[in-house]
Amino acid sequence: MMTRRLLQLLIGLAMYGVSLAMFIRAGLGLDPWDVFHQGLAVKTGLSIGTVVVIVSFLVLLLWIPLRQWPGIGTLCNAVLVGVFADVGLALIPEISHLGGQAGMLVGAILLNGIASACYIGARLGPGARDGLMTGLARRTGWSVRTSRTGIEIVVLGAGWLLGGSVGIGTVFYALAIGPLVQHLLPRFTVPEPNKPELPVAAADPVAAAP
């Protein structure tokens, strides 16, 4: 069972990084955190994958006052998503026509949903950004959805000011990713040994981004 969980985690994180590269190549807007990552990359000259890794570990420092503890999945997430984002950008060419951009955007959202369900379903620890949202919700009494919304408004605004890409893809991602992950998560959640698989429809799939 642990072998399956580790393999599912690694495949999910690899797909997540590639989906980020697809969003960038689509050129129609990124999700809020990646608008922030891209903005920092524009300003610093670092690759977006490097920025993702750096921001992940900086966010993990914010877990300390929230009394959050990382799992192996958390640490793998912090490193591998950025690595595979850069690999994806090296392999996926630029797209100059709208039809190709739209197709790439749809593919990126679908792949991101599958990737999220894979790594969350492996149950080896949340991503750094997920843990920040859930930890803030636990410490403040806010809902996870409220915590996520507040944080993402801040990072989206900061990323846009830094030069990150905001567009129709940002809106489509926000509308599609929650229902998509909610639909896929039961199919990828690894059940605990000797226990029936718990229903996950009640979970907050909107908290699925790394």
Side-chain angles (χ1 to χ4, degrees):
M1 187 68 71
M2 180 55 72
T3 300
R4 175 196 162 175
R5 291 169 69 189
L6 287 170
L7 185 60
Q8 183 172 308
L9 170 72
L10 296 176
I11 292 173
L13 295 178
M15 290 192 298
Y16 202 102
V18 172
S19 74
L20 169 54
M22 292 171 68
F23 275 114
I24 293 172
R25 291 301 189 224
L28 297 173
L30 307 175
D31 69 275
W33 273 104
D34 290 326
V35 172
F36 180 62
H37 298 145
Q38 188 183 49
L40 286 176
V42 168
K43 292 298 183 183
T44 62
L46 298 172
S47 73
I48 193 165
T50 300
V51 171
V52 169
V53 173
I54 292 171
V55 170
S56 294
F57 281 100
L58 291 176
V59 170
L60 284 176
L61 294 178
L62 298 178
W63 283 31
I64 297 173
L66 298 175
R67 298 179 183 177
Q68 291 274 107
W69 296 100
I72 185 172
T74 308
L75 299 177
C76 289
N77 188 311
V79 174
L80 294 181
V81 170
V83 169
F84 280 100
D86 279 347
V87 170
L89 286 172
L91 296 176
I92 301 171
E94 298 275 359
I95 300 175
S96 58
H97 53 92
L98 185 58
Q101 290 175 299
M104 185 69 74
L105 175 63
V106 171
I109 292 173
L110 291 174
L111 185 61
N112 190 277
I114 296 169
S116 298
C118 276
Y119 90 79
I120 294 169
R123 298 188 299 106
L124 290 171
R129 296 152 190 80
D130 296 338
L132 176 62
M133 296 167 198
T134 56
L136 186 62
R138 190 183 67 253
R139 297 288 288 176
T140 63
W142 301 342
S143 69
V144 172
R145 192 175 297 270
T146 299
S147 299
R148 178 187 174 111
T149 300
I151 292 171
E152 292 198 345
I153 287 173
V154 172
V155 297
L156 177 63
W160 178 70
L161 291 173
L162 290 168
S165 175
V166 178
I168 191 66
T170 309
V171 177
F172 282 168
Y173 179 88
L175 293 174
I177 194 63
L180 185 59
V181 175
Q182 182 170 327
H183 176 71
L184 293 171
L185 191 54
R187 293 162 173 75
F188 288 95
T189 298
V190 181
E192 295 184 36
N194 303 320
K195 291 186 180 181
E197 186 170 354
L198 296 177
V200 294
D204 187 352
V206 183

